[in-house]
Protein backbone atom coordinates (compact mmCIF):
# COMPACT_ATOMS: atom_id res chain seq x y z
CA UNK A 1 0.00 0.00 0.00
CA UNK A 2 1.45 3.34 -1.03
CA UNK A 3 0.40 6.84 -2.15
CA UNK A 4 -0.97 6.65 -5.69
CA UNK A 5 -0.55 10.31 -6.71
CA UNK A 6 -2.36 11.14 -9.98
CA UNK A 7 -3.60 7.58 -10.39
CA UNK A 8 -6.39 9.07 -8.25
CA UNK A 9 -7.74 10.92 -11.27
CA UNK A 10 -8.97 7.71 -12.88
CA UNK A 11 -11.41 7.16 -10.03
CA UNK A 12 -12.34 10.83 -10.25
CA UNK A 13 -13.18 10.35 -13.93
CA UNK A 14 -15.19 7.22 -13.14
CA UNK A 15 -17.30 9.02 -10.56
CA UNK A 16 -17.78 11.99 -12.88
CA UNK A 17 -19.29 9.76 -15.54
CA UNK A 18 -21.36 7.91 -12.95
CA UNK A 19 -22.66 11.38 -11.99
CA UNK A 20 -23.68 12.00 -15.62
CA UNK A 21 -21.24 14.82 -16.25
CA UNK A 22 -22.10 16.91 -19.30
CA UNK A 23 -18.94 16.93 -21.40
CA UNK A 24 -20.30 19.79 -23.49
CA UNK A 25 -21.01 21.79 -20.36
CA UNK A 26 -18.83 24.75 -19.38
CA UNK A 27 -17.05 25.26 -16.06
CA UNK A 28 -15.86 28.68 -14.89
CA UNK A 29 -12.69 28.92 -12.83
CA UNK A 30 -13.02 30.30 -9.32
CA UNK A 31 -9.63 30.25 -7.58
CA UNK A 32 -11.19 30.12 -4.12
CA UNK A 33 -13.00 26.88 -4.97
CA UNK A 34 -10.84 25.24 -7.60
CA UNK A 35 -7.15 26.08 -7.23
CA UNK A 36 -5.30 22.90 -6.31
CA UNK A 37 -2.35 22.71 -3.91
CA UNK A 38 -0.05 22.00 -6.85
CA UNK A 39 -1.74 24.17 -9.47
CA UNK A 40 0.39 24.08 -12.66
CA UNK A 41 -2.58 24.90 -14.90
CA UNK A 42 -2.70 28.18 -16.80
CA UNK A 43 -6.09 29.65 -16.08
CA UNK A 44 -7.23 33.02 -14.74
CA UNK A 45 -10.14 33.97 -12.51
CA UNK A 46 -13.39 33.95 -14.50
CA UNK A 47 -12.06 32.00 -17.48
CA UNK A 48 -14.31 29.19 -18.71
CA UNK A 49 -13.47 25.84 -20.28
CA UNK A 50 -15.61 23.06 -21.74
CA UNK A 51 -15.76 20.01 -19.50
CA UNK A 52 -14.46 17.71 -22.25
CA UNK A 53 -11.34 19.89 -22.48
CA UNK A 54 -10.92 19.90 -18.71
CA UNK A 55 -11.14 16.11 -18.88
CA UNK A 56 -8.23 16.11 -21.33
CA UNK A 57 -6.23 18.38 -19.04
CA UNK A 58 -6.94 16.05 -16.11
CA UNK A 59 -6.43 12.64 -17.71
CA UNK A 60 -3.91 13.38 -20.48
CA UNK A 61 -1.83 16.20 -18.96
CA UNK A 62 -2.57 15.10 -15.37
CA UNK A 63 -3.34 18.68 -14.25
CA UNK A 64 -4.77 19.02 -10.76
CA UNK A 65 -6.98 22.10 -10.87
CA UNK A 66 -9.15 20.73 -13.73
CA UNK A 67 -10.03 17.77 -11.49
CA UNK A 68 -11.45 20.14 -8.88
CA UNK A 69 -13.32 22.13 -11.54
CA UNK A 70 -14.88 18.95 -12.92
CA UNK A 71 -15.81 17.66 -9.47
CA UNK A 72 -17.43 21.03 -8.80
CA UNK A 73 -19.50 20.71 -11.96
CA UNK A 74 -21.38 17.69 -10.57
CA UNK A 75 -21.24 18.31 -6.79
CA UNK A 76 -21.18 21.65 -4.99
CA UNK A 77 -19.39 20.17 -1.97
CA UNK A 78 -16.10 18.55 -3.02
CA UNK A 79 -16.03 16.52 0.21
CA UNK A 80 -19.25 14.82 -0.87
CA UNK A 81 -17.67 13.97 -4.22
CA UNK A 82 -14.58 12.50 -2.54
CA UNK A 83 -16.86 10.49 -0.24
CA UNK A 84 -18.46 9.00 -3.37
CA UNK A 85 -15.01 7.90 -4.55
CA UNK A 86 -14.49 6.04 -1.28
CA UNK A 87 -17.96 4.52 -1.43
CA UNK A 88 -17.17 3.28 -4.92
CA UNK A 89 -13.98 1.64 -3.66
CA UNK A 90 -15.95 -0.10 -0.91
CA UNK A 91 -18.57 -1.24 -3.42
CA UNK A 92 -15.79 -2.90 -5.43
CA UNK A 93 -14.48 -4.61 -2.30
CA UNK A 94 -11.23 -2.65 -2.17
CA UNK A 95 -10.02 -2.77 1.42
CA UNK A 96 -6.65 -1.08 0.92
CA UNK A 97 -7.81 1.87 -1.18
CA UNK A 98 -8.70 5.31 0.15
CA UNK A 99 -9.09 8.76 -1.39
CA UNK A 100 -8.55 12.07 0.39
CA UNK A 101 -8.75 14.49 -2.56
CA UNK A 102 -9.91 14.42 -6.18
CA UNK A 103 -6.54 14.78 -7.87
CA UNK A 104 -3.89 12.81 -5.99
CA UNK A 105 -1.66 15.40 -4.34
CA UNK A 106 -2.54 14.39 -0.80
CA UNK A 107 -0.63 11.40 0.61
CA UNK A 108 -3.92 10.03 1.91
CA UNK A 109 -4.76 8.77 -1.57
CA UNK A 110 -3.54 5.19 -1.27
CA UNK A 111 -3.92 1.77 -2.84
CA UNK A 112 -2.02 -1.39 -3.74
CA UNK A 113 -1.08 -2.53 -7.22
CA UNK A 114 -3.61 -5.38 -7.06
CA UNK A 115 -6.46 -3.08 -6.06
CA UNK A 116 -5.45 -0.32 -8.45
CA UNK A 117 -5.48 -2.86 -11.28
CA UNK A 118 -9.16 -3.39 -10.45
CA UNK A 119 -9.85 0.36 -10.49
CA UNK A 120 -8.06 0.83 -13.81
CA UNK A 121 -9.84 -2.15 -15.35
CA UNK A 122 -13.26 -1.03 -14.12
CA UNK A 123 -12.68 2.50 -15.41
CA UNK A 124 -11.66 1.22 -18.85
CA UNK A 125 -15.04 -0.48 -19.19
CA UNK A 126 -16.32 3.06 -19.71
CA UNK A 127 -15.54 3.71 -23.37
CA UNK A 128 -15.30 7.46 -22.93
CA UNK A 129 -12.71 7.17 -20.15
CA UNK A 130 -10.77 4.76 -22.33
CA UNK A 131 -10.89 7.25 -25.20
CA UNK A 132 -9.57 10.09 -23.04
CA UNK A 133 -6.76 7.93 -21.69
CA UNK A 134 -5.77 7.03 -25.26
CA UNK A 135 -5.26 10.63 -26.43
CA UNK A 136 -1.64 11.20 -27.40
CA UNK A 137 -1.88 14.98 -27.74
CA UNK A 138 -4.55 17.66 -27.80
CA UNK A 139 -5.30 21.33 -28.18
CA UNK A 140 -8.30 23.47 -27.33
CA UNK A 141 -9.38 27.05 -26.75
CA UNK A 142 -11.01 28.43 -23.64
CA UNK A 143 -14.66 29.43 -24.01
CA UNK A 144 -14.03 32.64 -22.04
CA UNK A 145 -10.51 34.06 -22.10
CA UNK A 146 -9.34 36.76 -19.69
CA UNK A 147 -5.59 36.88 -20.18
CA UNK A 148 -5.24 36.88 -23.98
CA UNK A 149 -3.98 33.27 -24.03
CA UNK A 150 -6.99 31.12 -24.90
CA UNK A 151 -5.15 28.20 -26.51
CA UNK A 152 -4.00 25.13 -24.57
CA UNK A 153 -1.99 22.22 -26.01
CA UNK A 154 -0.09 19.33 -24.50
CA UNK A 155 1.18 15.76 -24.93
CA UNK A 156 0.22 12.74 -22.85
CA UNK A 157 2.35 12.48 -19.72
CA UNK A 158 3.31 8.95 -20.76
CA UNK A 159 5.85 9.79 -23.44
CA UNK A 160 5.95 6.13 -24.53
CA UNK A 161 2.71 6.92 -26.34
CA UNK A 162 4.67 9.06 -28.81
CA UNK A 163 6.85 6.08 -29.78
CA UNK A 164 6.24 3.88 -32.84
CA UNK A 165 9.02 1.36 -32.20
CA UNK A 166 7.58 -0.41 -29.16
CA UNK A 167 6.83 -4.14 -29.19
CA UNK A 168 3.28 -3.35 -28.06
CA UNK A 169 0.55 -0.79 -28.71
CA UNK A 170 -0.61 1.42 -25.84
CA UNK A 171 -4.40 1.64 -25.89
CA UNK A 172 -4.79 3.75 -22.72
CA UNK A 173 -2.52 5.04 -19.98
CA UNK A 174 -2.32 7.09 -16.79
CA UNK A 175 0.74 8.25 -14.92
CA UNK A 176 1.27 9.51 -11.39
CA UNK A 177 4.17 11.03 -9.51
CA UNK A 178 4.97 12.41 -6.09
CA UNK A 179 8.33 12.22 -4.41
CA UNK A 180 6.72 10.12 -1.68
CA UNK A 181 4.99 7.75 -4.10
CA UNK A 182 7.71 7.35 -6.68
CA UNK A 183 6.74 7.20 -10.35
CA UNK A 184 3.60 5.23 -11.21
CA UNK A 185 2.40 4.10 -14.60
CA UNK A 186 -0.71 2.19 -15.66
CA UNK A 187 -1.19 1.02 -19.24
CA UNK A 188 -3.65 -1.02 -21.25
CA UNK A 189 -1.47 -2.52 -23.95
CA UNK A 190 -1.94 -4.88 -26.87
CA UNK A 191 0.63 -7.37 -28.12
CA UNK A 192 1.23 -6.82 -31.80
CA UNK A 193 1.75 -10.48 -32.70
CA UNK A 194 -1.66 -11.80 -31.63
CA UNK A 195 -3.68 -8.85 -30.32
CA UNK A 196 -3.74 -10.14 -26.72
CA UNK A 197 -4.30 -7.31 -24.24
CA UNK A 198 -2.62 -6.76 -20.88
CA UNK A 199 -2.94 -4.27 -18.07
CA UNK A 200 0.54 -3.23 -16.98
CA UNK A 201 0.94 -1.33 -13.71
CA UNK A 202 4.09 -0.22 -11.95
CA UNK A 203 4.16 1.77 -8.72
CA UNK A 204 6.90 3.23 -6.58
CA UNK A 205 9.67 3.59 -9.17
CA UNK A 206 12.22 5.66 -7.19
CA UNK A 207 14.29 6.71 -10.22
CA UNK A 208 12.58 9.58 -12.01
CA UNK A 209 15.12 9.36 -14.85
CA UNK A 210 13.91 5.82 -15.60
CA UNK A 211 10.20 6.61 -15.35
CA UNK A 212 9.55 5.51 -18.94
CA UNK A 213 12.28 2.95 -19.63
CA UNK A 214 11.52 0.73 -16.63
CA UNK A 215 7.78 0.33 -17.42
CA UNK A 216 8.74 -0.31 -21.05
CA UNK A 217 11.19 -3.07 -20.05
CA UNK A 218 8.73 -4.58 -17.58
CA UNK A 219 5.90 -4.63 -20.11
CA UNK A 220 8.12 -6.00 -22.90
CA UNK A 221 9.18 -8.81 -20.56
CA UNK A 222 5.56 -9.56 -19.65
CA UNK A 223 4.34 -9.95 -23.23
CA UNK A 224 7.27 -12.26 -24.04
CA UNK A 225 6.72 -14.34 -20.93
CA UNK A 226 2.94 -14.73 -20.88
Amino acid sequence: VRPIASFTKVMTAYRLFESDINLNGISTYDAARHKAKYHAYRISQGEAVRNKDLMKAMLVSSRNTPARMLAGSVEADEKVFIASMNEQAKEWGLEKTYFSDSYGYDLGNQSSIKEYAQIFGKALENQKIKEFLSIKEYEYNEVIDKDGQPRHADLHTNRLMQRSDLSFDILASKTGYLYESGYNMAMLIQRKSDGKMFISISMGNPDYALKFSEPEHFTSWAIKTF
Side-chain angles (χ1 to χ4, degrees), residues 97-117:
T97 298
Y98 183 78
F99 300 98
S100 53
D101 68 28
S102 61
Y103 52 97
Y105 185 80
D106 192 87
L107 297 181
N109 298 289
Q110 297 191 349
S111 190
S112 66
I113 283 184
K114 183 177 180 179
E115 291 199 355
Y116 192 74

Side-chain angles (χ1 to χ4, degrees), residues 74-125:
V74 299
E75 176 57 62
D77 186 343
E78 188 176 11
K79 291 181 180 179
V80 173
F81 182 84
I82 296 166
S84 78
M85 296 167 66
N86 286 310
E87 286 300 317
Q88 188 69 70
K90 288 181 182 178
E91 184 179 318
W92 288 341
L94 307 181
E95 298 178 350
K96 299 178 180 179
T97 298
Y98 183 78
F99 300 98
S100 53
D101 68 28
S102 61
Y103 52 97
Y105 185 80
D106 192 87
L107 297 181
N109 298 289
Q110 297 191 349
S111 190
S112 66
I113 283 184
K114 183 177 180 179
E115 291 199 355
Y116 192 74
Q118 292 179 255
I119 294 171
F120 195 62
K122 289 279 191 182
L124 291 176
E125 292 175 5

Side-chain angles (χ1 to χ4, degrees), residues 167-168 191 193 198 217-226:
S167 58
F168 50 88
R191 185 160 55 197
S193 61
F198 298 75
H217 295 158
F218 168 72
T219 304
S220 295
W221 169 82
I223 64 173
K224 290 176 182 176
T225 305
F226 300 101

